[in-house]
């Protein structure tokens, strides 16, 4: 195993001075798609906005023979792509990389984890040598006091760094006395782990937290939480977790292991994964992430539903005639072997869309507390019937498992030379498919039934597909026609909630067409999140929000095991039945089209109540 981390790793004091604990985030599989495209850019954005704790380090771990510079090159422009130009991104980028180290190792080799443990300990030691950024003399602790990996020493401190520190100190002075509940919770967690190993906070500890900041900072200086992000193929989740548990747990703070989807391939493998993980970690230590839950509009469903008096009386089967969750992507499976093993139902519906549905349809939680919100989501999921095999339709784009047939069989039924040539061409094209012969669905439509008083008989439709003409995630809530209307031809209203590409909410209504007489036309009341809400807060990417939650110890948006179990209950049987039956029809569609036409027509009919 090789490591780029020197025995005493250099650390810069840049970040949120109010978060006095330190944090080390280890990303397993840092060479992969998710880490490069989403995780590191998200951490960078948090860093640029001074939201990370002042003392933090990102340790990338993977098998590939890479250097930090290679990772940097792979990420390239992605780092600054979402950043406001005012943030001097390029300057900050250089400094950000001082907080990153690459460690080469094998996920199955205990020796590599032991060495990783030593590296993490040495980073922690380095952190503890730095005075609390909040203590009296904190203001004398500056970037450059420690030097950095490129050999810059104490005297090489850059002017911008000084400015940056100064402005943050000023901010900190202004904010004196304010500490976020999350930070406070963290401090308790850290102190608990420091003194008594892992477990939940006691009430006494929580009470003790209501003390002054100085009390908190005294407790917190030595606290270092360790986050382990499993950005890996699911087959490596368990073995990696076991090694983390044995060799790299936090010693002066909390251990948090973030597990990416898919959480198993079916109910049985989920249970095995869950049992394996819980043998190593407590519920508080396991963080099952579904990044759709971190999307701004998905979260705003809670506010839309439970903060608006006009919505509540409409939100039931008397008024709603259907709910349609639509997910579409232009990209295909991109030859990801993972996708071929799991298919679109497990990749998108069983987790992402089901979570969106839980936010949309659950009852008002008792409070905004994490457990209350998740309790209500589970309650809703428990009302959803297992999907019937007849309520699941599947599609696949041409070029995935098979190519598009070119010709109709020759009229004579006899093969001539031309036919034989065409057959040969088709065979060659077949071999050029992403997964020749595969019947894994790239498009699916599922009909879900919520059996509770509120939504009885309202069809909840999900459609999800890859290789389509648009990229979007939308929720369409269709309303019933007004009975005995003065305008019998008026079209029913629809509420469109667009998660992406735009974050917006639109209510379609009928209006009088300007001019003589009374004729109707449709128009919409629309709210575009990014411009429509007068806000000085920033629009967070899902992974930014969720990573910050992991860092600050807030589990509200992470998926509880009972939610995951319900998810599998709803989908497991129908997936299995379709997979075990080779005669289940698959409707093929052109890559880049709207999708399989028959299935889409069926969706339309369900919406029209036919
Ligand atoms: P990748 O396929 O890119 O794999 C990540 C890393 O794991 C690779 O760079 C490789 O690193 C290592 N790896 C891959 N295959 C093997 C293998 N067979 N044996 C040992 N190591 C292997 O995955 P992603 O980054 O796309 O996804 C990671 C996780 O995140 C998955 O669970 C995925 O479902 C989930 N996810 C991904 C999303 C995305 O946008 N990509 C979105 C949401 C969830 P090395 O060889 O260098 O060790
Ligand atoms: C991932 C799926 O969970 O979500 C991918 O595995 C999909 O197949 C991705 O492309 C979509 O996420 P987003 O945020 O880009 O819509």
């Amino acid at each position: 195993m090789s490591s780029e981390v020197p025995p005493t790793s250099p650390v810069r004091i840049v970040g949120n001075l109010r978060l006095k604990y330190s944090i080390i985030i280890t990303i397993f599989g840092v060479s992969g798609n998710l880490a490069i495209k989403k995780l590191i850019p998200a951490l960078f954005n948090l860093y640029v906005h001074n939201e990370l704790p002042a003392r933090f380090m990102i340790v990338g771990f993977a098998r590939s023979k890479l250097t930090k510079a290679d990772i940097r090159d792979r990420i390239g422009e992605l780092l600054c792509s979402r950043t406001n130009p005012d943030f001097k991104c390029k300057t900050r980028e250089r400094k950000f990389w001082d907080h990153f180290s690459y460690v080469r190792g094998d996920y199955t080799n205990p020796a590599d984890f032991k060495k990783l443990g030593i590296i993490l300990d040495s980073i922690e030691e380095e952190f503890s040598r730095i005075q609390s950024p909040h203590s009296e003399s904190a203001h004398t602790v500056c970037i450059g006091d420690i030097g950095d990996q490129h050999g810059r020493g104490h005297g090489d401190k850059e002017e911008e760094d000084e400015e940056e520190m100064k402005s943050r100190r000023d901010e900190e002075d202004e904010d004196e006395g304010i500490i976020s509940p999350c930070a406070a919770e963290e401090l308790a967690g850290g102190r608990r782990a420091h003194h008594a190993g892992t477990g939940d906070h006691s009430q006494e500890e929580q009470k003790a937290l209501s003390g002054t900041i100085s009390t908190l900072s005294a407790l917190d200086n030595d606290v270092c939480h360790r986050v382990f992000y499993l950005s890996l193929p699911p087959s490596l989740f368990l073995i990696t977790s076991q090694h983390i548990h044995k060799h790299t747990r936090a010693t002066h703070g909390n251990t948090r292991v973030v597990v990416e989807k898919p959480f198993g391939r079916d109910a049985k493998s989920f249970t095995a994964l869950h049992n394996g993980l819980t043998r190593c970690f407590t519920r508080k230590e396991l963080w099952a992430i579904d990044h759709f839950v971190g999307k701004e509009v998905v979260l705003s469903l809670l506010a839309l539903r439970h903060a608006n008096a006009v919505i509540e009386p409409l939100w039931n089967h008397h008024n709603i005639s259907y709910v349609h969750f639509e997910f579409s992507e232009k990209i295909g499976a991109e030859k990801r072997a993972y996708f071929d093993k799991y298919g679109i139902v497990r990749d998108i519906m069983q987790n992402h869309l089901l979570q969106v549905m839980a936010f949309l349809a659950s009852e008002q939680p008792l409070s905004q507390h994490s457990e209350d919100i998740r309790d209500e989501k589970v309650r809703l999921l428990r009302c959803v019937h297992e999907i019937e095999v007849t309520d699941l339709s599947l599609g696949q784009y041409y070029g995935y498992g098979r190519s598009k047939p070119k010709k109709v069989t020759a009229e004579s039924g006899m093969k001539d030379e031309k036919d034989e040539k065409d057959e040969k061409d088709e065979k060659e094209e077949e071999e050029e498919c992403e997964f020749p012969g595969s019947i894994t669905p790239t498009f699916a439509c599922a009909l879900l039934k919520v059996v509770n008083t509120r939504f009885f008989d309202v069809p909840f439709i999900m459609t999800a597909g890859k290789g389509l003409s648009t990229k979007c995630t939308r929720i369409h809530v269709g309303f019933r026609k007004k009975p005995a209307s003065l305008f019998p031809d008026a079209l029913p209203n629809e509420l469109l909630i667009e998660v992406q590409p735009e974050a917006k909410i639109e209510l379609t209504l009928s209006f009088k067409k300007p001019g003589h007489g009374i004729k109707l036309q449709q128009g919409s009341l629309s709210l575009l999140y990014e411009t429509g809400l007068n806000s000085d807060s920033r629009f967070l990417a899902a992974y930014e929000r969720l990573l910050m939650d992991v860092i600050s110890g807030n589990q509200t948006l992470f998926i509880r095991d009972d939610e995951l179990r319900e998810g599998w209950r709803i989908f497991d049987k129908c997936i299995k039945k379709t997979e075990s039956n080779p005669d289940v029809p698959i409707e093929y569609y052109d890559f880049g089209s709207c999708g399989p036409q028959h299935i889409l027509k069926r969706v339309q009919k369900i919406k029209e109540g036919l």
Side-chain angles (χ1 to χ4, degrees):
M1 173 165 124
S2 71
S3 154
E4 285 199 352
V5 184
T8 50
S9 73
V11 181
R12 286 166 168 276
I13 293 285
V14 174
N16 187 335
L17 298 179
R18 279 182 290 143
L19 300 180
K20 290 171 290 301
Y21 54 84
S22 50
I23 195 125
I24 309 174
I25 302 162
T26 305
I27 304 177
F28 293 98
V30 74
S31 53
N33 185 289
L34 177 68
I36 301 280
K37 283 197 186 151
K38 304 264 173 83
L39 301 182
I40 297 179
L43 286 166
F44 176 68
N45 237 9
L46 293 172
Y47 168 77
V48 165
H49 288 90
N50 303 326
E51 286 167 8
L52 294 179
R55 295 172 298 174
F56 80 94
M57 194 75 184
I58 302 164
V59 178
F61 183 105
R63 299 171 310 171
S64 301
K65 201 171 174 187
L66 295 170
T67 61
K68 178 162 133 176
D70 295 328
I71 304 261
R72 213 152 114 165
D73 289 348
R74 282 193 192 184
I75 295 179
E77 293 304 310
L78 278 177
L79 220 49
C80 288
S81 59
R82 289 194 71 252
T83 311
N84 185 327
D86 299 346
F87 281 99
K88 292 188 185 162
C89 177
K90 287 289 167 199
T91 318
R92 304 294 302 275
E93 186 180 338
R94 198 159 29 82
K95 293 175 201 157
F96 172 77
W97 287 109
D98 289 344
H99 294 259
F100 181 90
S101 295
Y102 180 67
V103 174
R104 189 172 165 216
D106 192 313
Y107 315 104
T108 59
N109 184 355
D112 288 352
F113 280 79
K114 279 184 198 155
K115 284 179 195 160
L116 175 66
I118 293 169
I119 290 165
L120 300 185
D121 288 346
S122 77
I123 296 172
E124 240 177 67
E125 223 176 286
E126 189 71 26
F127 281 154
S128 68
R129 267 191 232 133
I130 307 166
Q131 284 171 297
S132 160
H134 199 272
S135 69
E136 276 295 301
S137 52
H139 294 180
T140 63
V141 179
C142 317
I143 305 141
D145 279 352
I146 297 149
D148 68 17
Q149 257 161 330
H150 310 294
R152 282 202 300 267
H154 293 216
D156 286 341
K157 191 166 39 148
E158 291 151 306
E159 274 176 27
E160 307 128 16
D161 291 345
E162 273 286 26
E163 268 172 37
E164 199 170 85
M165 282 298 293
K166 187 173 174 305
S167 70
R168 232 160 282 140
R169 271 182 239 133
D170 293 346
E171 235 175 65
E172 148 109 317
D173 291 343
E174 275 169 30
D175 287 347
E176 190 84 1
I178 302 166
I179 189 153
S180 75
C182 286
E185 201 178 306
E186 283 314 293
L187 295 171
R191 189 181 56 157
R192 173 215 359 104
H194 190 36
H195 296 297
T198 52
D200 288 348
H201 309 158
S202 69
Q203 280 189 345
E204 289 70 34
E205 280 172 327
Q206 296 282 12
K207 270 189 209 157
L209 283 170
S210 51
T212 61
I213 283 195
S214 57
T215 320
L216 292 168
S217 73
L219 283 172
D220 199 31
N221 201 28
D222 291 337
V223 170
C224 181
H225 302 309
R226 291 187 185 178
V227 172
F228 299 95
Y229 203 114
L230 306 187
S231 183
L232 291 169
S235 54
L236 294 166
F237 288 171
L238 257 184
I239 183 77
T240 310
S241 300
Q242 283 158 358
H243 290 320
I244 295 169
H245 170 58
K246 276 194 194 139
H247 305 294
T248 62
R249 272 182 162 282
T251 45
H252 298 90
N254 293 341
T255 300
R256 295 180 189 137
V257 179
V258 185
V259 188
E260 263 292 351
K261 60 163 271 276
F263 312 103
R265 202 173 169 274
D266 52 22
K268 200 172 153 200
S269 54
F270 162 70
T271 306
L273 174 68
H274 179 67
N275 291 345
L277 291 173
T278 47
R279 268 194 282 277
C280 302
F281 305 108
T282 63
R283 225 183 196 190
K284 287 264 172 203
E285 291 176 326
L286 280 173
W287 298 64
I289 194 166
D290 182 317
H291 75 285
F292 267 55
V293 177
K295 291 186 188 269
E296 193 66 55
V297 175
V298 174
L299 268 182
S300 79
L301 290 172
L302 268 183
L304 180 76
R305 280 282 323 274
H306 306 299
N308 293 298
V310 292
I311 298 285
E312 178 57 27
L314 294 176
W315 219 249
N316 54 52
H317 67 102
H318 298 297
N319 300 294
I320 293 179
S321 61
Y322 64 83
V323 183
H324 176 196
F325 303 90
E326 179 193 6
F327 170 94
S328 72
E329 271 190 327
K330 287 184 180 179
I331 54 166
E334 298 183 309
K335 297 192 177 175
R336 283 160 79 201
Y338 146 77
F339 184 85
D340 193 49
K341 195 170 168 211
Y342 285 79
I344 196 80
V345 182
R346 291 188 185 91
D347 190 40
I348 303 293
M349 286 183 166
Q350 187 270 349
N351 32 60
H352 296 327
L353 294 189
L354 204 57
Q355 278 298 322
V356 177
M357 173 170 163
F359 275 101
L360 184 107
S362 53
E363 297 299 312
Q364 175 165 300
L366 282 174
S367 74
Q368 289 181 31
H369 189 272
S370 137
E371 297 305 322
D372 288 335
I373 293 173
R374 296 191 290 181
D375 281 350
E376 266 337 305
K377 279 161 66 194
V378 176
R379 223 187 296 276
L380 184 276
L381 294 175
R382 288 177 66 185
C383 297
V384 182
H385 265 201
E386 286 172 13
I387 300 169
E388 302 288 338
V389 72
T390 46
D391 288 333
L392 182 68
S393 314
L394 305 175
Q396 191 189 78
Y397 60 78
Y398 287 120
Y400 181 90
R402 63 185 267 189
S403 51
K404 190 171 181 177
K406 267 204 187 122
K407 61 179 177 67
V408 186
T409 328
E411 268 172 41
S412 64
M414 299 283 285
K415 283 184 187 170
D416 57 20
E417 238 174 68
K418 188 172 166 291
D419 287 341
E420 273 171 22
K421 187 175 168 296
D422 284 349
E423 263 177 31
K424 198 166 151 252
D425 286 351
E426 271 174 26
K427 211 169 168 198
E428 274 168 16
E429 273 179 27
E430 200 82 44
E431 278 159 15
E432 279 168 19
C433 286
E434 284 180 65
F435 297 96
S438 170
I439 53 164
T440 298
T442 59
F443 184 99
C445 167
L447 181 62
L448 287 84
K449 290 166 191 151
V450 181
V451 186
N452 64 12
T453 313
R454 188 185 284 274
F455 288 117
F456 188 75
D457 246 3
V458 176
F460 279 71
I461 310 155
M462 287 183 183
T463 55
K466 285 183 179 277
L468 298 173
S469 56
T470 49
K471 174 169 171 75
C472 75
T473 303
R474 293 186 184 126
I475 311 165
H476 310 259
V477 180
F479 291 94
R480 298 193 188 283
K481 282 189 92 164
K482 184 178 180 295
S485 172
L486 180 62
F487 302 98
D489 297 335
L491 292 171
N493 307 114
E494 189 183 91
L495 181 69
L496 168 73
I497 303 167
E498 184 164 299
V499 177
Q500 56 192 25
E502 286 182 310
K504 69 174 179 189
I505 299 189
E506 256 177 29
L507 178 63
T508 318
L509 298 168
S510 291
F511 295 92
K512 181 196 162 302
K513 203 172 181 173
H516 296 296
I518 302 184
K519 285 189 184 150
L520 296 185
Q521 74 173 46
Q522 286 219 303
S524 55
L525 303 179
S526 175
L527 170 75
L528 199 58
Y529 265 67
E530 275 188 282
T531 52
L533 289 179
N534 183 10
S535 159
D536 53 4
S537 51
R538 71 193 177 87
F539 206 85
L540 290 167
Y543 277 103
E544 283 171 46
R545 183 194 313 285
L546 296 172
L547 278 164
M548 199 58 223
D549 282 352
V550 179
I551 291 166
S552 61
N554 181 354
Q555 283 193 319
T556 310
L557 304 182
F558 289 77
I559 319 301
R560 236 169 39 186
D561 53 316
D562 46 0
E563 295 179 65
L564 296 170
R565 201 165 289 116
E566 288 304 319
W568 282 119
R569 179 191 58 74
I570 295 165
F571 279 92
D572 210 20
K573 274 193 193 146
C574 72
I575 296 178
K576 287 226 167 94
K577 278 186 187 163
T578 53
E579 282 178 349
S580 61
N581 180 359
D583 297 330
V584 166
I586 294 184
E587 189 181 339
Y588 290 87
Y589 59 98
D590 288 331
F591 191 94
S593 68
C594 296
Q597 288 308 305
H598 287 104
I599 298 179
L600 293 176
K601 274 187 195 146
R602 188 167 165 235
V603 171
Q604 198 48 41
K605 280 192 173 168
I606 298 171
K607 285 181 168 185
E608 286 165 12
L610 302 172

